[in-house]
Amino acid sequence: MAQEGKGLKDAYRECFLVGVSVNQRNISDSLQSNLIKREFSSMTAENDMKPVSVHPRDGVWTWDRADRIAGFCRQNGIKLRGHTLMWHNQMCDWMFYDGQHNLVSKEVLFQRMREHIHTVVSRYKDVVYCWDVFNEAVKDGPRNPDGPDQPLRESIFYKICGNDEFIRKAFQYAREADPNALLFYNDYNECDPTKCDRICEMVKEMKAAGVPIDGIGMQGHYNIHGPSAEDIEAAVSKYTRVVDHIHMTELDVRANREMGGQLEFSHNGEAAITEEIKKKQEDKYNEVFSIMRKHADKVDCVTFWNLSDRDSWLGADNYPLLFDRDYKPKKAYYVVRDFK
Ligand code: GLA
């Protein structure tokens, strides 16, 4: 299946879309935008469609950056993943408070969420094919050994509502606004067996109650040591039993000092990335893509979180992506593209 000279999107045409998250520079600079057009069939705005970016204050909407990304997709026929409607970070924090800075009632919160979701989803309805409706609402860590598990992160949403109604409502509002977009629950540490089970249980229960969840987003912020192929495979298999659409939404494979052990290196720039680290990264990317290809009947999209190491939220010295800080493909790129 190796496709010499073609982009990732062509190599994976029979499997799934290959996506990339972008910033404003990526779509304005011609070298970077040509790379996007050559390699990718799906895009995500890294930050520019998040609540804080488009709706910083009550009644104030700031669309320029999001519009530019949507325009780039329209112009170049690239599909756009909407990211993200609701999240406890980079959120419209004003939504949670009244004029005296007291927390609002859940009714007020729901009304504000509804207005936000309807406005954003309607604006990009023609170009956005799926939305991350709720990001990171499930908590990390072991189950409570002394009683029932409370599966949700104790976010400000949870504080106001006391249960999971805010998640259900967000999906309902998104479905009302666009009956055709695929609606995703998106989270990190999604291959941790306990968290994976929590996500599956929550989504399964909500779907059974009629909440319109179409898919699960596996963020895919990995590193050269983990998660293991077994844990990734187990997680994808479990998710496929709950939903028909799996997206890997934010893939990167970092090689940083937090990993410790013999591969520990200090942030001295690319020189610190040894051949051994590069090989481990190539192997991890190969593992991830082999597993995704195996599940291509339900995996519709694999998105990299940023275009090149230079753009990565982790910093170029973490060496996490397929293109280096000069936008040149690394060996890992060919490992992913020219699969057998
Ligand atoms: C989370 C979010 C992304 C991004 C990354 C870090 O995974 O979903 O939007 O902010 O964190 O950059």
Side-chain angles (χ1 to χ4, degrees):
M1 279 255 229
Q3 309 234 357
E4 201 47 48
K6 297 209 168 168
L8 295 168
K9 66 178 167 47
D10 306 302
Y12 282 84
R13 199 180 294 285
E14 304 295 316
C15 307
F16 38 72
L17 300 171
V18 184
V20 63
S21 86
V22 301
N23 58 38
Q24 297 291 313
R25 212 181 42 249
N26 299 147
I27 58 165
S28 348
D29 173 274
S30 63
L31 182 139
Q32 296 171 41
S33 60
N34 284 332
L35 185 63
I36 295 172
K37 289 186 254 179
R38 191 181 76 218
E39 300 291 339
F40 299 101
S41 41
S42 174
M43 274 171 49
T44 308
E46 179 187 14
N47 289 307
D48 295 333
M49 289 192 169
K50 288 174 178 170
V52 70
S53 305
V54 294
H55 200 185
R57 291 185 299 284
D58 195 3
V60 175
W61 295 92
T62 40
W63 300 112
D64 283 9
R65 298 162 78 87
D67 280 357
R68 257 184 289 213
I69 290 175
F72 183 90
C73 287
R74 289 190 190 101
Q75 212 175 358
N76 295 295
I78 300 176
K79 293 187 156 223
L80 182 56
R81 292 195 85 255
H83 173 83
T84 176
L85 293 172
M86 290 285 126
W87 188 23
H88 60 277
N89 278 325
Q90 294 180 273
M91 185 54 201
C92 317
D93 286 342
W94 59 265
M95 271 192 200
F96 303 119
Y97 300 101
D98 66 16
Q100 284 71 53
H101 212 70
N102 298 313
L103 288 182
V104 293
S105 65
K106 67 177 186 177
E107 288 73 22
V108 171
L109 175 63
F110 292 162
Q111 192 269 322
R112 291 174 172 180
M113 283 170 53
R114 185 173 188 280
E115 191 216 355
H116 178 84
I117 291 173
H118 270 253
T119 308
V120 179
V121 172
S122 304
R123 187 173 184 93
Y124 299 112
K125 219 172 171 166
D126 65 305
V127 60
V128 167
Y129 70 107
C130 66
W131 274 102
D132 289 330
V133 175
F134 228 105
N135 205 26
E136 306 181 352
V138 170
K139 78 175 176 201
D140 295 292
R143 286 187 189 262
N144 173 13
D146 308 316
D149 192 48
Q150 193 295 97
L152 299 182
R153 169 190 299 278
E154 290 177 13
S155 65
I156 196 159
F157 289 98
Y158 183 76
K159 203 165 165 191
I160 292 174
C161 301
N163 59 28
D164 63 12
E165 208 183 342
F166 57 96
I167 306 173
R168 296 170 191 255
K169 290 277 193 247
F171 279 93
Q172 281 156 16
Y173 301 150
R175 177 62 90 234
E176 285 164 17
D178 187 352
N180 298 318
L182 292 173
L183 306 181
F184 280 76
Y185 174 75
N186 189 43
D187 216 326
Y188 69 95
N189 271 355
E190 73 284 352
C191 296
D192 170 80
T194 306
K195 190 158 178 191
C196 172
D197 287 345
R198 283 193 182 118
I199 294 171
C200 286
E201 285 158 24
M202 177 186 86
V203 172
K204 205 170 157 187
E205 193 192 311
M206 288 187 181
K207 277 172 66 75
V211 179
I213 305 180
D214 300 303
I216 292 176
M218 304 174 63
Q219 287 191 2
H221 291 298
Y222 300 153
N223 62 56
I224 57 175
H225 304 279
S228 66
E230 293 72 29
D231 281 352
I232 301 172
E233 167 68 43
V236 181
S237 300
K238 284 183 189 169
Y239 294 135
T240 61
R241 279 180 237 129
V242 180
V243 290
D244 288 335
H245 301 276
I246 311 283
H247 285 192
M248 187 158 272
T249 53
E250 307 184 16
L251 178 61
D252 47 28
V253 176
R254 70 182 96 171
N256 66 10
R257 64 186 322 175
E258 283 102 59
M259 295 299 102
Q262 64 185 83
L263 293 174
E264 181 169 355
F265 65 93
S266 47
H267 290 256
N268 293 333
E270 211 167 315
I273 308 284
T274 61
E275 288 307 311
E276 193 184 358
I277 289 174
K278 288 183 185 172
K279 177 75 175 65
K280 281 200 176 274
Q281 188 187 53
E282 288 151 21
D283 291 348
K284 184 56 72 186
Y285 268 121
N286 189 32
E287 248 171 50
V288 171
F289 275 86
S290 311
I291 296 168
M292 294 293 121
R293 286 196 302 271
K294 187 176 154 204
H295 292 278
D297 58 330
K298 292 217 172 177
V299 173
D300 318 318
C301 183
V302 175
T303 292
F304 289 89
W305 203 248
N306 303 117
L307 182 56
S308 77
D309 288 345
R310 175 184 296 184
D311 304 298
S312 172
W313 67 298
L314 299 164
D317 291 350
N318 265 310
Y319 201 71
L321 295 161
L322 300 188
F323 295 98
D324 68 15
R325 62 179 85 215
D326 298 317
Y327 298 91
K328 297 273 183 305
K330 304 178 192 173
K331 190 165 166 231
Y333 166 84
Y334 296 102
V335 169
V336 168
R337 192 192 66 176
D338 300 335
F339 62 91
K340 299 279 179 290

